Amino acid sequence: MKKTALAVLVTGLLSTSAMADTIAGLYIGGSMWSNEATGTFGEQAGLVDFNLEDKEQGSFYIALEHPIPLIPNLMIASTTLDTDGATVLSQDFDFSGKTFDAGTAVGSTFDVSYIDYTLYYEIFDNGLFSFDIGLTGRDFDGDITVASAIGGTSVEGTLAVTEIVPMLYVSTIVGLPGTSFNLFANGNLLSIDDHTIYDYQVGLSYELIDNLAVDVNLTLGYKAVKFELEDLDDLYTNIEFKGAFAGVVVHF
């Protein structure tokens, strides 16, 4: 259902591309991210380090900017975080109603995706420097599983995560005069109650194509995502994903 809703929204945004350069601007971007996953997760009684694997993840976004005062611009971004891990428990571990005894070899799958719906305003833009600020609704959807095989019988516990959390969004771009390069940084932040969630990316972009019909920028940078959660759908985490990324942004 969530993927269908995203497809409908993307299709709606794409239909506005005919207005580009006169009424609105359409941005489509994607990247591949080689990340290192570290941290712990579990339930309230205790968190476990499952030695999460490093993996490559993909993400994309689409944004519509317009010149209408007071009405915010819109961006929709999709990110998937998928990694596996394994460990031998040093103490008893309870997860999703299942108990895993100390000394048991267990495997884990952390498979969480989220869609960001961001409304933002372009506060300043003079061609060399821009600054945006807004609000993001982060729509989580995923499963975290812990499993073991004891005496030929598999024991498995799975937590489903479906939650929407609000976050602050900021973005800035700084052009390097006399070159086709730009420095950029953007991110989202939530710190409320016992939840701390943030992501940020910083990097360098290169204007490969720049004309009236289309702009194409290549991007290279560093990205990090942090989940420090206390009881998000019974899930407790202190996990960080970080690493280099490369991508492309097309502006119509």
Side-chain angles (χ1 to χ4, degrees):
M1 180 67 70
K2 193 170 294 181
K3 291 182 178 179
T4 301
L6 176 61
V8 171
L9 286 169
V10 169
T11 301
L13 287 174
L14 287 172
S15 68
T16 68
S17 61
M19 301 186 297
D21 295 322
T22 57
I23 299 178
L26 183 69
Y27 296 81
I28 301 174
S31 65
M32 288 299 299
W33 177 31
S34 179
N35 63 53
E36 173 189 358
T38 58
T40 60
F41 70 83
E43 293 189 340
Q44 187 173 10
L47 306 183
V48 171
D49 185 349
F50 287 91
N51 303 307
L52 300 174
E53 297 179 356
D54 301 345
K55 286 198 174 183
E56 293 185 352
Q57 317 278 356
S59 63
F60 74 90
Y61 78 92
I62 184 167
L64 177 65
E65 295 188 349
H66 60 80
I68 305 175
L70 301 181
I71 298 179
N73 302 304
L74 171 64
M75 178 168 59
I76 303 171
S78 176
T79 302
T80 298
L81 298 174
D82 178 11
T83 185
D84 301 313
T87 191
V88 176
L89 296 173
S90 60
Q91 60 185 15
D92 292 349
F93 178 66
D94 295 321
F95 191 77
S96 189
K98 304 294 183 180
T99 298
F100 302 87
D101 297 330
T104 301
V106 294
S108 67
T109 299
F110 188 95
D111 186 4
V112 175
S113 63
Y114 56 85
I115 297 175
D116 288 339
Y117 302 95
T118 302
L119 298 175
Y120 66 97
Y121 291 97
E122 190 173 61
I123 304 300
F124 185 80
D125 185 1
N126 65 359
L128 283 178
F129 173 75
S130 68
F131 179 75
D132 302 340
I133 190 168
L135 291 174
T136 292
R138 176 157 295 178
D139 191 359
F140 285 100
D141 185 13
D143 298 294
I144 298 93
T145 300
V146 176
S148 69
I150 302 176
T153 302
S154 176
V155 179
E156 181 176 293
T158 299
L159 279 179
V161 179
T162 55
E163 191 83 21
I164 299 177
V165 297
M167 305 181 73
L168 174 68
Y169 168 80
V170 292
S171 174
T172 186
I173 300 175
V174 179
L176 300 180
T179 75
S180 297
F181 291 95
N182 298 282
L183 300 175
F184 65 88
N186 57 64
N188 296 274
L189 171 67
L190 166 70
S191 183
I192 185 172
D193 295 330
D194 294 320
H195 295 325
T196 298
I197 306 173
Y198 67 75
D199 66 87
Y200 68 85
Q201 59 180 12
V202 294
L204 183 71
S205 67
Y206 174 72
E207 296 175 357
L208 183 65
I209 299 175
D210 183 8
N211 57 46
L212 293 177
V214 63
D215 300 333
V216 178
N217 286 262
L218 304 180
T219 61
L220 183 67
Y222 180 86
K223 178 177 180 179
V225 177
K226 175 78 170 183
F227 298 121
E228 190 173 338
L229 305 175
E230 295 282 341
D231 195 14
L232 181 69
D233 281 352
D234 296 324
L235 177 66
Y236 293 73
T237 70
N238 187 4
I239 294 179
E240 185 174 26
F241 297 81
K242 56 186 178 181
F245 72 89
V248 61
V249 179
V250 181
H251 172 214
F252 297 97

